Amino acid sequence: MRSQRSRIFRLAFISVFTAIIIVQNFVPFLGYIPLGAFDVTLIHITVIIVAIVLGPLDGAIIGGIWGGITLYRAFAFPTSPIAQYIFINPLVSVVPRILIGVFAGYAYRLLRKTRLPDVGAMSLSAIIGSLTNTVLVLGMTYLLYSGTYAKFMNIPPDSWTVLWFILGIVATNGIPEAIAACLIAPAVAKPLMKLRSR
């Protein structure tokens, strides 16, 4: 009976959070805040919450749904002029989103075994998940599309200049995203964990 209730909770949870991901992708400012070449994203927090509450597999599923939508948007209506060149590649649009769930989920499982309080484990897991997205998306952009990025930003195409601009995005986008995830994910995940355990 408890196993059946757990399966129902899992399916309902995944369905609700899939709907949230879809809404965040298509309603302005709920999932993306436009800021130059790359948007500040809040959607990674949704993926992290699922990874913490249900585990890395379900986090990867929700991350994959986000990645699939990102890939579709790059073809249909890109969020910025550079997105249509970068996010049509699944290595940039899909793989990092899946790995958010994997890394955040496994990080939480490992950190729960330490002396950290549960909220601390959730916060650190959220930071790890957020930085996974930032590092992989921007890292792939640098490795695969540095010339395209340099042309879009109207900067010299040499590797050092592009690298410094990419690191600037880490500071202006990645750090605020990680802080937001650190604060919001535990606040939402903690009550959901209690609900799940009933």
Side-chain angles (χ1 to χ4, degrees), residues 97-176:
R97 313 317 197 189
I98 292 171
L99 291 178
I100 293 171
V102 174
F103 285 15
Y106 278 116
Y108 178 63
R109 284 187 178 179
L110 291 171
L111 290 167
R112 281 181 70 187
K113 298 175 182 177
T114 68
R115 294 185 178 182
L116 274 176
D118 201 38
V119 170
M122 289 180 181
S123 295
L124 280 176
S125 302
I127 291 171
I128 289 167
S130 182
L131 291 177
T132 297
N133 184 56
T134 300
V135 169
L136 289 179
V137 169
L138 295 178
M140 288 294 182
T141 299
Y142 177 72
L143 290 173
L144 302 175
Y145 298 103
S146 59
T148 302
Y149 179 78
K151 186 176 180 181
F152 177 80
M153 296 300 293
N154 197 26
I155 60 174
D158 65 276
S159 58
W160 281 109
T161 303
V162 174
L163 178 61
W164 280 110
F165 269 77
I166 294 282
L167 291 174
I169 295 173
V170 172
T172 58
N173 292 27
I175 293 174

Side-chain angles (χ1 to χ4, degrees), residues 81-105:
I82 198 170
Q84 62 187 319
Y85 298 105
I86 292 174
F87 288 113
I88 59 170
N89 187 337
L91 289 175
V92 184
S93 58
V94 180
V95 173
R97 313 317 197 189
I98 292 171
L99 291 178
I100 293 171
V102 174
F103 285 15

Side-chain angles (χ1 to χ4, degrees), residues 8-68:
I8 292 169
F9 177 87
R10 176 177 174 267
L11 288 173
F13 196 90
I14 289 174
S15 299
V16 167
F17 275 80
T18 297
I20 290 170
I21 287 277
I22 292 169
V23 170
Q24 284 181 305
N25 269 281
F26 294 104
V27 176
F29 295 98
L30 281 183
Y32 294 101
I33 300 170
L35 190 68
F38 291 93
D39 301 327
V40 173
T41 181
L42 303 173
I43 304 177
H44 67 298
I45 300 172
T46 307
V47 178
I48 291 165
I49 291 167
V50 174
I52 289 172
V53 176
L54 294 183
L57 174 60
D58 293 322
I61 290 169
I62 294 296
I65 291 168
W66 175 26

